[in-house]
Amino acid sequence: MVRSGHAVKVILQRELAAYLKSPRGYVVAAALLLLAGVLFYAEALGPSAGERLSADVLARFFYNTSGLIAVAAVALSVRLFTDERQTGSMVLLVTAPVHEHQIVLGKFFGAAVFLTVLALATLYMPLLILVNGRVSWGHVAVGYLGLVLLGSAVLAIGIFASALTRNTLSAAVAGGVLVGTMFLFWPLSFVVDPPLSRVFAGLGLHGRHFNDFQTGVLHLRDVVYYLSVTYFFLLLATKTLQTRRWQ
Amino acid sequence: MIRAFGVQKWFGGKRALGPVSFEIARGETVGFLGLNGAGKTTLLRILAGELRPSGGTLEVGGTDAMREPLAVRKLVGFLPEFPPLYPDMTVRDYLRFAGMVRGMDGATLQGRLEEVEALVGLGPVREELTRTLSQGFRQRVGFAQAIIHEPELLVLDEPAHDLDPAQIVEMRSLLHTLEGRHTILLSSHNLPEISETCDRLFVLDAGEVIASGSETELASHWLDTQQVEVALRAAANDLAPAVQRLRSIEAVRNVTVDERDGNGEGPVLVVECSDDCRAEICRLLVEDGWDMLRLVRSRRKLESIFLGLVHGTERTRRQSHSAA
């Protein structure tokens, strides 16, 4: 048996190297940075930006970037198992003396590190606000924590979708539908009656749980929510891989 | 090394394997023979730890594969039909990853990488991406990842798959190098290949082991006759006395002249015997003054056993269906 941490680290390093060597990693990074920059310019610097409090501009930046991070997380995660199955390399992992949860965690952390680096690459925009306006470092730090937690939850959903099928397109559709549905829970919570509205608001990936992060307020319940979603979908991915040994 | 009892595998409602029971000793080289869909790959995937059996018990190296699958996987190196390569990695990086994911530490791995690359002949391509390699080199890299951690059990599914004749010879020589160091299980469609490499054969059909033993044991159990080919320095028309002489041997059932000049040796006498009578054939022909160029047991023997077994079980199945 391979030590749990060792196996996770080895798989994480391979995944990270794969992002850095493949055009896909750079395409996702370029698209995310370009769109984040365009949106920031339009909302904060452009001719139609108007007068706004710097804290509002920062909150708006985190709101826009959260959507981009979610899309990037789906794009990065849905290929994690489908590519392995298509090339046949999955056999190496499933015949190695490692648990399924070590495989899932290695891939998850590899993607999470890459996504965190992408998120931090947008840091120059909050710094511009920080230099020219009046916002706190705490607001910036909490906003980025929210982006990383949201990104992690979406990565976990994408990894689960990827474990379900050997076709990347099918995994992308499944992952997109799952993430989209969980994003829609928040607006749906306004059009249904209680107690369903409270359930939808509580389950929504965005809205109630991200609003406080974007305004710089840290609530333990929001952190627990994102960690729970991440754990739940990573567990489902692990169980899916285990089930495949019986099929 | 391996003790399997009643191992079976079902995919949904369809039985893919078993129940099969067998034992394989440490250091043996065992071949699995069967038509497509016979259950060879399923059995090898179970033995490699990729699949879990639906029933039965399986011990590898004295460890229960159902209770301690990770301990068993540590003992196994597996080369599937298509080598499990990462196209974005160089050969060296890939082999390092394969070793590390199996728990090898950096210092041990460094020495082992050099050793395996030299053994398998990967030196010239070690810095190349695996996606740029020819099929022969891809198969070698797949082989290297299977032995990098010095497993006790080496499981090879169609190791000569898609290789040209020169590469098949190289693969065979590699297998001979590893004999004794590992217990080797392999499947192949290439019958001469499997008969030359393996100590023992398992013939599978419809998920069941229908025969097992060495090639000679299988022949004595399942074939009425053995076939010997004799090439003499003579024209086909002059071979009648030799044919008569060979027919005088008690074990010989039939002698025919094959006039095809396959090896540039002229016509060949094909002798059907009920027993191994190569020594007697040789003695009589030399006594009579014939120049013997070649005497060999026919390579078609294993093919005959295999086809006889498979067609025999197919006939039995049909009969039981019609009886039902």
Side-chain angles (χ1 to χ4, degrees), chain A residues 26-27 29-30 56 71 77 117 134 160 187 207 212 223 231:
Chain A
Y26 291 101
V27 168
D56 289 344
V71 174
S77 58
V117 171
R134 289 185 61 187
F160 167 59
D212 287 340
V223 175
Y231 175 79

Side-chain angles (χ1 to χ4, degrees), chain A residues 1-2 6 10-11 14 18 21 84 87-89 91-100 244-247, chain B residues 9 11 48-53 70 73-74 78 80 84-89 94 97 100-103 145:
Chain A
M1 286 135 291
V2 182
H6 174 81
V10 169
I11 296 169
R14 202 220 85 76
K21 284 180 195 165
E84 296 254 13
T87 60
S89 55
V91 175
L92 176 63
L93 293 179
V94 297
T95 56
V98 294
H99 280 286
E100 283 80 0
R244 284 188 174 272
R245 286 193 193 273
W246 296 99
Q247 291 175 338
Chain B
K9 184 70 190 172
F11 293 117
E50 185 187 350
L51 291 177
R52 289 178 74 92
L70 293 193
R73 276 186 248 154
K74 202 171 171 59
F78 181 41
L85 308 183
Y86 287 101
D88 57 351
M89 293 178 101
Y94 171 73
F97 173 70
M100 290 179 82
V101 85
R102 287 171 175 133
Q145 66 77 28

